[in-house]
Amino acid sequence: MLKQLFYEMQAIKTDLHIALPTPAATDALGRSLARQLVPGLIIYLHGDLGAGKTALTRALLHAAGYSGHVKSPTYTLAEPYELILAGQNVTLMHFDLYRMASPDEFLEAGFRDVFNQSTICVVEWPENGHDVLPEPDLDIYLMVVGEGRAAGLSARSEQARRCLEQLHFAPNL
Ligand SMILES: Nc1ncnc2c1ncn2[C@@H]1O[C@H](COP(=O)(O)OP(=O)(O)O)[C@@H](O)[C@H]1O
Ligand SMILES: [Mg+2]
């Protein structure tokens, strides 16, 4: 509960606030974000269980051309997806650190090396890895609002600022 309040306070201060009244709106945000993916981008997804972090990642991956099943890598902590962006092979690594017991687990798995200029990293529960995770380019805060959700997006790098400027979120597209 306290964590949720923290997210909501962070989200108020974000660069961009988006209402997501239906799952279709979350899918639309995933599509908008997919158009802005560039190698090396690090996205943190904040929010309570059920806030829509995995749903947003799934929408983003499908919009980026991945047609298979996307489920949260809760037990393996990370799942790689091979994408083709602008004719280039790019790996997107989807992390879910909800069950990470210690930073050693992250380091011993060699995850530190995944954060490089050619890999896109999307991280659920980044709070659990704050000792070992590199800083994000983009923070996304997801919140339950009534029956729907809301998203707050904050750019933490020049690259992410450009992403947000060109996001063109259009829920009906
Ligand atoms: N904008 C929305 N409005 C209502 N329900 C949503 C919205 N976006 C996603 N959902 C639903 O909320 C749930 C989110 O679950 P999930 O993505 O697994 O959450 P998390 O990864 O944050 O724990 C899913 O059942 C999804 O269908
Ligand atoms: Mg999840």
Side-chain angles (χ1 to χ4, degrees):
M1 218 35 222
L2 210 57
K3 223 175 199 176
Q4 185 67 11
L5 189 64
F6 172 76
Y7 297 143
E8 283 169 23
M9 286 168 64
Q10 291 295 310
I12 289 164
K13 294 183 285 182
T14 52
D15 303 324
L16 190 59
H17 192 261
I18 295 176
L20 303 170
T22 62
T26 299
D27 289 348
L29 179 59
R31 285 199 295 277
S32 297
L33 285 166
R35 287 193 288 271
Q36 303 305 325
L37 291 177
V38 285
L41 201 69
I42 302 173
I43 303 175
Y44 282 7
L45 296 179
H46 308 271
D48 256 343
L49 277 176
K53 301 179 295 298
T54 302
L56 182 63
T57 308
R58 184 177 298 122
L60 184 151
L61 281 165
H62 285 158
Y66 180 78
S67 55
H69 186 60
V70 177
K71 64 172 179 57
S72 208
T74 307
Y75 292 96
T76 52
L77 300 185
E79 184 72 29
Y81 296 89
E82 300 306 326
L83 303 176
I84 299 172
L85 299 176
Q88 208 186 335
N89 291 314
V90 179
T91 302
L92 185 151
M93 193 71 132
H94 177 202
F95 287 92
D96 181 345
L97 304 184
Y98 186 65
R99 289 183 196 278
M100 190 169 80
S102 79
D104 291 344
E105 224 178 310
F106 184 93
L107 297 173
E108 282 162 18
F111 288 151
R112 199 67 211 225
D113 298 337
V114 174
F115 290 79
N116 57 49
Q117 284 310 303
S118 55
T119 306
I120 297 166
C121 291
V122 175
V123 188
E124 296 188 39
W125 298 101
E127 298 76 12
N128 288 356
H130 72 271
D131 290 336
V132 284
L133 275 177
E135 291 294 308
D137 293 288
L138 188 61
D139 272 313
I140 301 181
Y141 301 89
L142 290 163
M143 287 145 293
V144 175
V145 178
E147 297 286 297
R149 307 287 185 270
L153 289 78
S154 248
R156 308 291 183 206
S157 71
E158 226 7 85
Q159 192 176 45
R161 251 179 289 284
R162 281 195 297 275
C163 284
L164 291 193
E165 274 168 22
Q166 296 166 20
L167 192 67
H168 304 308
F169 174 68
N172 298 322
L173 292 180

